[in-house]
Amino acid sequence: MNFVQIRDKYYPDLVAIAYSTLMIEVNEENESDFSLVFKLGKDEYKLGCSELAIIWGLPNQGCLFEGGKTPIGDWGYSKENAMGIFNLTQGTHTKIPCNPMWVEYRTLLYIISYIFQPRVSGPATVCDEDLIIMWAMVYNIKINWPYFIVQHMIRLKKKETSGGLGYLCLWTRIFNRVGIDLTNEKVKHVPSQSCIDIRLLRKMGRGAIEEGQEDQETQEAPPQA
């Protein structure tokens, strides 16, 4: 939850430059031994997986999973089974509306689509990548989250997905870690309505029930995320 509630200031100009020079260096003998590399001016900065895990407050012990990729075979994943678990049905034009989902899964989808794997479209519909990540979370499959995020950063840089620059506040923590002087840089603040905290999650839960969902206690209990 601490990671979800990160609310640091962000520096859009610096983030844009960092993304333009962003690279990932992977040890061919051990893929989990990777580094995020970027340049600002003449200076190059490099942060390894374990260091990113510390500054972002995320676990780095687990599968090297990339969003958009087929999940590892021993996950036991299938799209059909996932849609059944999350109470989903296929909509028109291959889109999957999130309305039928139970409250806890809609909340999880919100966090995934805005924080773990940000995209412009948000959580109005469920995509295949969402289903895979939710499956992993529900069944407690360990994921190397710094690796997942850095790989998504590379996708954002290549514009393979519509998530804007993404991870703005995570970049602030990187800049602070490597000692970049931010005094005279253009700074912005995350608006309060964009912050995710306990109050918002509770409000989302109440709102879903008010929209007409049945009392969850009368439904078959789904797997716990």
Side-chain angles (χ1 to χ4, degrees), residues 21 25 33 40 54 66 118 131 137 174 187:
T21 61
E25 292 185 358
D33 180 19
L40 291 177
I54 293 171
E66 301 176 33
L131 288 174
M137 288 182 167
I174 289 175
V187 61

PDB file of all heavy atoms in Angstrom, residues 21 25 33 40 54 66 118 131 137 174 187:
ATOM      1  N   THR A  21      16.617   8.990 -23.195  1.00  0.00           N
ATOM      2  CA  THR A  21      17.920   8.316 -23.131  1.00  0.00           C
ATOM      3  C   THR A  21      17.845   6.978 -22.398  1.00  0.00           C
ATOM      4  O   THR A  21      18.871   6.330 -22.195  1.00  0.00           O
ATOM      5  CB  THR A  21      18.937   9.221 -22.407  1.00  0.00           C
ATOM      6  OG1 THR A  21      18.492   9.464 -21.061  1.00  0.00           O
ATOM      7  CG2 THR A  21      19.082  10.557 -23.124  1.00  0.00           C
ATOM      8  N   GLU A  25      20.083  -2.427 -19.108  1.00  0.00           N
ATOM      9  CA  GLU A  25      21.228  -3.315 -19.278  1.00  0.00           C
ATOM     10  C   GLU A  25      20.959  -4.593 -18.498  1.00  0.00           C
ATOM     11  O   GLU A  25      20.688  -4.546 -17.298  1.00  0.00           O
ATOM     12  CB  GLU A  25      22.514  -2.651 -18.779  1.00  0.00           C
ATOM     13  CG  GLU A  25      22.965  -1.474 -19.629  1.00  0.00           C
ATOM     14  CD  GLU A  25      24.298  -0.919 -19.171  1.00  0.00           C
ATOM     15  OE1 GLU A  25      24.845  -1.442 -18.171  1.00  0.00           O
ATOM     16  OE2 GLU A  25      24.780   0.046 -19.783  1.00  0.00           O
ATOM     17  N   ASP A  33      19.676  -9.629 -12.774  1.00  0.00           N
ATOM     18  CA  ASP A  33      20.742  -8.661 -12.506  1.00  0.00           C
ATOM     19  C   ASP A  33      20.736  -7.628 -13.633  1.00  0.00           C
ATOM     20  O   ASP A  33      21.560  -7.660 -14.533  1.00  0.00           O
ATOM     21  CB  ASP A  33      22.095  -9.374 -12.417  1.00  0.00           C
ATOM     22  CG  ASP A  33      23.240  -8.409 -12.127  1.00  0.00           C
ATOM     23  OD1 ASP A  33      22.966  -7.299 -11.641  1.00  0.00           O
ATOM     24  OD2 ASP A  33      24.400  -8.774 -12.407  1.00  0.00           O
ATOM     25  N   LEU A  40      21.397  12.558 -18.232  1.00  0.00           N
ATOM     26  CA  LEU A  40      20.947  13.948 -18.140  1.00  0.00           C
ATOM     27  C   LEU A  40      22.162  14.815 -18.429  1.00  0.00           C
ATOM     28  O   LEU A  40      23.114  14.847 -17.651  1.00  0.00           O
ATOM     29  CB  LEU A  40      20.380  14.263 -16.752  1.00  0.00           C
ATOM     30  CG  LEU A  40      19.051  13.598 -16.379  1.00  0.00           C
ATOM     31  CD1 LEU A  40      18.657  13.933 -14.951  1.00  0.00           C
ATOM     32  CD2 LEU A  40      17.944  14.028 -17.344  1.00  0.00           C
ATOM     33  N   ILE A  54      14.510  -0.928  -3.382  1.00  0.00           N
ATOM     34  CA  ILE A  54      14.575  -0.188  -2.121  1.00  0.00           C
ATOM     35  C   ILE A  54      13.928   1.187  -2.249  1.00  0.00           C
ATOM     36  O   ILE A  54      13.091   1.572  -1.431  1.00  0.00           O
ATOM     37  CB  ILE A  54      16.040  -0.041  -1.654  1.00  0.00           C
ATOM     38  CG1 ILE A  54      16.607  -1.412  -1.274  1.00  0.00           C
ATOM     39  CG2 ILE A  54      16.142   0.927  -0.485  1.00  0.00           C
ATOM     40  CD1 ILE A  54      18.090  -1.404  -1.013  1.00  0.00           C
ATOM     41  N   GLU A  66       7.098  -9.597 -18.093  1.00  0.00           N
ATOM     42  CA  GLU A  66       6.882  -8.338 -18.798  1.00  0.00           C
ATOM     43  C   GLU A  66       5.415  -8.225 -19.185  1.00  0.00           C
ATOM     44  O   GLU A  66       4.821  -9.179 -19.691  1.00  0.00           O
ATOM     45  CB  GLU A  66       7.735  -8.267 -20.067  1.00  0.00           C
ATOM     46  CG  GLU A  66       9.229  -8.381 -19.838  1.00  0.00           C
ATOM     47  CD  GLU A  66       9.992  -8.394 -21.142  1.00  0.00           C
ATOM     48  OE1 GLU A  66       9.537  -7.739 -22.098  1.00  0.00           O
ATOM     49  OE2 GLU A  66      11.028  -9.081 -21.209  1.00  0.00           O
ATOM     50  N   PRO A 118       0.627   1.982 -16.114  1.00  0.00           N
ATOM     51  CA  PRO A 118      -0.231   3.130 -16.473  1.00  0.00           C
ATOM     52  C   PRO A 118      -0.553   3.191 -17.956  1.00  0.00           C
ATOM     53  O   PRO A 118       0.272   2.886 -18.811  1.00  0.00           O
ATOM     54  CB  PRO A 118       0.613   4.341 -16.043  1.00  0.00           C
ATOM     55  CG  PRO A 118       2.024   3.837 -16.018  1.00  0.00           C
ATOM     56  CD  PRO A 118       1.939   2.405 -15.603  1.00  0.00           C
ATOM     57  N   LEU A 131      -5.727  -8.849 -17.049  1.00  0.00           N
ATOM     58  CA  LEU A 131      -6.151 -10.164 -16.576  1.00  0.00           C
ATOM     59  C   LEU A 131      -4.965 -10.976 -16.065  1.00  0.00           C
ATOM     60  O   LEU A 131      -5.035 -11.638 -15.033  1.00  0.00           O
ATOM     61  CB  LEU A 131      -6.855 -10.932 -17.689  1.00  0.00           C
ATOM     62  CG  LEU A 131      -8.259 -10.448 -18.091  1.00  0.00           C
ATOM     63  CD1 LEU A 131      -8.749 -11.225 -19.304  1.00  0.00           C
ATOM     64  CD2 LEU A 131      -9.233 -10.610 -16.932  1.00  0.00           C
ATOM     65  N   MET A 137      -1.624 -11.622  -9.002  1.00  0.00           N
ATOM     66  CA  MET A 137      -1.831 -11.055  -7.667  1.00  0.00           C
ATOM     67  C   MET A 137      -2.795 -11.910  -6.840  1.00  0.00           C
ATOM     68  O   MET A 137      -2.567 -12.158  -5.657  1.00  0.00           O
ATOM     69  CB  MET A 137      -2.372  -9.635  -7.805  1.00  0.00           C
ATOM     70  CG  MET A 137      -1.351  -8.630  -8.307  1.00  0.00           C
ATOM     71  SD  MET A 137      -2.051  -6.961  -8.390  1.00  0.00           S
ATOM     72  CE  MET A 137      -0.550  -5.982  -8.625  1.00  0.00           C
ATOM     73  N   ILE A 174      14.061   8.447  -8.178  1.00  0.00           N
ATOM     74  CA  ILE A 174      15.331   8.136  -8.844  1.00  0.00           C
ATOM     75  C   ILE A 174      16.243   9.364  -8.835  1.00  0.00           C
ATOM     76  O   ILE A 174      17.431   9.279  -8.509  1.00  0.00           O
ATOM     77  CB  ILE A 174      15.077   7.661 -10.287  1.00  0.00           C
ATOM     78  CG1 ILE A 174      14.437   6.272 -10.283  1.00  0.00           C
ATOM     79  CG2 ILE A 174      16.383   7.644 -11.089  1.00  0.00           C
ATOM     80  CD1 ILE A 174      14.042   5.774 -11.657  1.00  0.00           C
ATOM     81  N   VAL A 187       8.718  22.179 -11.605  1.00  0.00           N
ATOM     82  CA  VAL A 187       8.137  21.166 -10.725  1.00  0.00           C
ATOM     83  C   VAL A 187       6.617  21.228 -10.770  1.00  0.00           C
ATOM     84  O   VAL A 187       6.033  22.303 -10.934  1.00  0.00           O
ATOM     85  CB  VAL A 187       8.639  21.355  -9.272  1.00  0.00           C
ATOM     86  CG1 VAL A 187       8.220  22.721  -8.720  1.00  0.00           C
ATOM     87  CG2 VAL A 187       8.124  20.240  -8.368  1.00  0.00           C
TER      88      VAL A 187
END
